[in-house]
Amino acid sequence: MNYEQFFAEKIADLKSEGRYRVFADIQRQAGKFPTAFVHKDGKVKEITVWCSNDYMGMGQNPDAIAKMQEIAGGYGVGAGGTRNISGTMHEHVLLEAELADLHQTESALLFQSGWVANLTTLSTLGSLVPDCVIISDSKNHNSMIEGIRHSRAEKHIFRHNDLEDLENILKSIDPDRPKMIAFESVYSMDGDIAPIKEICDLADKYGAMTFLDEVHAVGLYGPRGAGVAERDGVMDRITIIQGTLAKAFGVIGGYIAGTKALCDFVRSYGTGFIFSSSMPPAVAAAARTNVNHLKNHNELRIRHQERAATLKQRFRDAGIPVMDSVSHIVPIFVGNAVLCKQASDDLMERHNIYVQPINYPTVERGTERLRFTPTPHHTDAHMDQLIEAIKEVWSRLGLQAAA
Ligand SMILES: *Cc1c(COP(=O)(O)O)cnc(C)c1O
């Protein structure tokens, strides 16, 4: 086989479909978010970032920066091992306690990323709980799908956020078999939110565990930022809450929270936990600083929701086709991969606005979109500039206005 030719052809396929991914080469500037520099063709210019998952700008929290510097100076930069073999730093222990407190659970367990937390936890439970059946929302994130796949457990997919379909599936499974319902709270490409309480009711009725990915909600919802389950008063009904430290908490890493026995089980049997070196202590310390900060600053969440609501309203007023969203995520419909990329390129090149195109396989073909994530740092002036830029690009590319 001509390997090189094979690779080149597969890449050419992506390019012809308009969904070849080009990474913007960004240089963030602490203290100036959402302003950043972009490097392109040897040139540098200043842009406004509109698509970061650093939803609160916590990546530049001065306390977290100082903490990271302090702990790197004190411990050195790496942890030096897996958690079992010399790699459990006191900062990991403190961060796990902070996360268990956040979710009001007995325990929490850290991973290198949210992706690894999902993969490891779902694959470990699905493979080791005897005869387990996993019932998974059709819009679940790739990391959950991979975890379920690796578990080789029997899997059923229910229609997105559809309680009737979920109940029909639960009903069809032998009542004595162990079951787990795997779903998310905020779905990050559409901005809709799962009916968590009703899913918990079904879980109780049919004796199922619940696995809830709150990656796009931790730090952002609930009076202490523990997520939508906290906001809805059902946090104590979830078997496993999974989150990330890389989005609203602004650093890197993932975790699960649950009972002592459950976390100990995944700690003891999960290969993605056991065989991978632990995160640098300075990283854990910075993450803990931000988790604690957002626990105590509900006014940031209020401002965040206000910014998102304002942007949605302003898009509507301007006839820009904003999609339905009940969360902080603000997607605009394009519906064509090539045009979506073109709109994104034009916004960057002509207007110094950065929003990444969202194409298949992240969303279904024909539903390509631009996904905006306003933060507490996006001002009215940023929005003025954005609206004018979108109007210009939409009319020049002949894109559809709002219906
Ligand atoms: C980003 C994401 C993850 C993975 O988290 P990372 O910490 O970025 O690895 C998991 N679930 C969902 C829904 C996500 O969007």
Side-chain angles (χ1 to χ4, degrees):
M1 183 179 187
N2 184 335
Y3 302 114
E4 281 301 307
Q5 189 183 338
F6 169 78
F7 300 143
E9 279 169 10
K10 294 303 278 184
I11 294 299
D13 286 350
L14 291 177
K15 286 185 176 165
S16 71
E17 279 184 56
R19 59 184 188 92
Y20 176 70
R21 293 173 177 209
V22 181
F23 298 158
D25 178 353
I26 306 284
Q27 183 181 343
R28 303 221 289 171
Q29 294 172 275
K32 290 193 179 175
F33 185 73
T35 300
F37 292 119
V38 65
H39 294 251
K40 193 172 180 221
D41 305 329
K43 295 200 193 88
V44 184
K45 72 173 182 179
E46 205 166 68
I47 53 162
T48 305
V49 178
W50 273 103
C51 58
S52 175
N53 282 338
D54 186 357
Y55 293 123
M56 293 290 206
M58 293 303 287
Q60 60 170 21
N61 178 15
D63 292 344
I65 296 170
K67 191 71 177 175
M68 193 181 267
Q69 288 169 336
E70 174 203 328
I71 299 297
Y75 281 68
V77 292
T82 59
R83 286 292 294 272
N84 189 41
I85 306 178
S86 91
T88 294
M89 301 293 105
H90 189 54
E91 285 296 338
H92 299 132
V93 176
L94 294 174
L95 176 55
E96 286 175 339
E98 181 76 47
L99 292 166
D101 175 74
L102 176 69
H103 293 290
Q104 298 287 292
T105 52
E106 289 171 356
S107 260
L109 192 66
L110 282 172
F111 298 83
Q112 277 66 20
S113 71
W115 198 92
V116 174
N118 274 341
L119 179 89
T120 303
T121 306
L122 285 163
S123 64
T124 304
L125 290 166
S127 61
L128 296 181
V129 174
D131 214 19
C132 188
V133 186
I134 301 179
I135 306 112
S136 173
D137 187 284
S138 64
K139 289 210 173 166
N140 276 346
H141 189 257
N142 164 272
S143 51
M144 298 167 85
I145 295 168
E146 295 288 352
I148 295 165
R149 201 205 313 263
H150 280 258
S151 81
R152 301 194 185 161
E154 183 179 317
K155 168 183 80 173
H156 296 264
I157 294 171
F158 64 99
R159 277 197 300 273
H160 177 56
N161 280 347
D162 185 332
L163 293 165
E164 204 181 301
D165 197 36
L166 173 60
E167 177 151 27
N168 284 336
I169 292 168
L170 286 164
K171 238 186 252 171
S172 74
I173 302 166
D174 179 348
D176 292 331
R177 282 185 77 175
K179 302 168 202 70
M180 178 157 57
I181 305 170
F183 64 115
E184 302 179 22
S185 55
V186 176
Y187 286 84
S188 73
M189 293 299 148
D190 295 299
D192 56 342
I193 293 182
I196 301 178
K197 179 187 169 294
E198 289 76 10
I199 291 177
C200 289
D201 291 343
L202 288 176
D204 287 349
K205 185 166 167 192
Y206 294 93
M209 295 184 279
T210 45
F211 180 102
L212 176 60
D213 175 323
E214 291 249 40
V215 160
H216 292 277
V218 289
L220 304 177
Y221 293 85
R224 297 161 80 235
V228 180
E230 184 193 34
R231 181 195 75 178
D232 293 355
V234 292
M235 202 158 61
D236 60 339
R237 298 183 63 191
I238 307 291
T239 316
I240 304 143
I241 294 175
Q242 180 272 351
T244 185
L245 303 167
K247 291 173 186 173
F249 294 134
V251 189
I252 193 75
Y255 66 91
I256 57 168
T259 63
K260 195 162 183 298
L262 174 106
C263 291
D264 202 10
F265 176 79
V266 178
R267 184 186 75 92
S268 306
Y269 287 95
T271 51
F273 178 84
I274 296 171
F275 293 106
S276 188
S277 298
S278 58
M279 66 169 64
V283 168
R288 181 162 62 93
T289 303
N290 283 346
V291 171
N292 191 269
H293 186 93
L294 287 181
K295 239 181 221 175
N296 294 305
H297 288 275
N298 197 43
E299 76 280 2
L300 276 170
R301 276 181 284 283
I302 292 166
R303 163 103 178 143
H304 182 226
Q305 291 297 320
E306 179 278 319
R307 291 284 80 193
T310 300
L311 184 63
K312 286 181 212 170
Q313 189 56 47
R314 295 206 50 189
F315 278 164
R316 267 183 233 115
D317 293 346
I320 294 165
V322 60
M323 297 166 71
D324 281 338
S325 157
V326 294
S327 69
H328 59 285
I329 312 243
V330 186
I332 292 186
F333 186 81
V334 180
N336 174 294
V338 174
L339 286 172
C340 195
K341 171 138 184 14
Q342 188 66 51
S344 164
D345 287 348
D346 285 5
L347 285 168
M348 183 76 115
E349 263 148 49
R350 302 168 69 96
H351 300 282
N352 303 329
I353 282 172
Y354 175 40
V355 59
Q356 191 68 16
I358 308 288
N359 287 346
Y360 178 83
T362 307
V363 296
E364 281 165 45
R365 284 194 173 89
T367 71
E368 291 82 2
R369 66 199 67 175
L370 299 178
R371 171 185 177 273
F372 296 84
T373 53
T375 72
H377 302 275
H378 286 86
T379 62
D380 287 342
H382 287 126
M383 291 190 193
D384 293 341
Q385 183 209 13
L386 176 65
I387 304 267
E388 286 313 307
I390 292 179
K391 283 207 253 180
E392 188 277 324
V393 169
W394 247 245
S395 86
R396 207 163 28 76
L397 296 181
L399 287 169
Q400 210 184 313

